[in-house]
Amino acid sequence: IGIPIGSKIKSILPSLKSSIHSSRDVIKWTPPENIHLTLSFLGNISEREISNVIQSIENEITFNYFKIKVEGLGVFPSTNIPINLWAGISKGVYELTLLHQFIEKSVRKYKASNKKEKFIPHITIARIRKSQRKIDVLPFLNTVYSPIELDINSICLYESLLSPEGV
């Protein structure tokens, strides 16, 4: 469950991609149409449960529109072992966290795992393949772009499909 962001941040993607010189075998850049801000990861659920998940969220969520600001860059888990390259959120973190909590409460019984993880609002831009995690991510982290303010007024249910090219 997430917020579509790709079309709104498409303009900064070329400079982010050019900040790290590597082959497609090293970094898997997220296609713009797949870029989103994840609010909850459900895991494997059956198709027949999808309408129940949607109904549960609709019953639980009564949010008004709010604004977020996409600003800054980071990596998970660290610069020494980078796995995910991401864009940060500098405004709207409180609202996103509250929305995340409401969604988690409404979908708890449908999730494959109830493992609690700290919610850190971010937008995954790329993933670094396991065999290549010794790359220098500092040029990426030092890339400057103008903050992007977005209106948030809806959420989406996404399907993740695993293919040879990635998720």
Side-chain angles (χ1 to χ4, degrees):
I1 301 167
I3 299 169
I5 302 280
S7 64
K8 312 252 179 17
I9 66 164
K10 200 175 191 176
S11 62
I12 66 169
L13 297 178
S15 64
L16 297 180
K17 287 181 179 183
S18 68
S19 69
I20 297 180
H21 303 287
S22 65
S23 69
R24 290 173 44 189
D25 297 343
V26 176
I27 296 180
K28 169 69 171 128
W29 294 95
T30 306
E33 64 273 11
N34 292 345
I35 294 177
H36 62 280
L37 191 154
T38 301
L39 294 166
S40 179
F41 182 75
L42 298 175
N44 291 328
I45 61 170
S46 69
E47 278 191 49
R48 67 179 184 277
E49 288 181 307
I50 291 174
S51 61
N52 294 335
V53 167
I54 292 169
Q55 186 65 49
S56 182
I57 292 170
E58 286 176 346
N59 290 342
E60 205 56 50
I61 307 300
T62 56
F63 258 78
N64 292 323
Y65 117 107
F66 60 96
K67 291 182 181 283
I68 67 169
K69 188 180 287 185
V70 179
E71 186 172 32
L73 299 166
V75 298
F76 288 137
S78 72
T79 55
N80 295 332
I81 311 167
I83 296 173
N84 290 329
L85 306 179
W86 51 265
I89 306 298
S90 65
K91 174 184 175 186
V93 172
Y94 173 78
E95 293 87 348
L96 287 170
T97 302
L98 205 55
L99 182 56
H100 161 77
Q101 290 169 351
F102 277 111
I103 290 172
E104 285 295 294
K105 180 181 174 196
S106 69
V107 299
R108 186 175 297 134
K109 64 183 174 185
Y110 303 104
K111 290 183 77 148
S113 167
N114 281 322
K115 182 176 138 184
K116 301 245 184 204
E117 293 183 5
K118 180 174 172 38
F119 178 66
I120 301 171
H122 68 282
I123 302 160
T124 299
I125 303 296
R127 298 185 192 281
I128 299 174
R129 302 201 190 267
K130 286 182 183 177
S131 61
Q132 300 294 327
R133 296 209 172 127
K134 298 285 185 204
I135 69 169
D136 180 12
V137 293
L138 290 179
F140 172 81
L141 294 173
N142 291 325
T143 302
V144 177
Y145 63 91
S146 295
I148 302 168
E149 193 165 87
L150 306 172
D151 295 328
I152 305 301
N153 58 11
S154 65
I155 60 174
C156 293
L157 181 62
Y158 287 89
E159 178 182 25
S160 296
L161 299 173
L162 190 58
S163 72
E165 291 81 39
V167 179

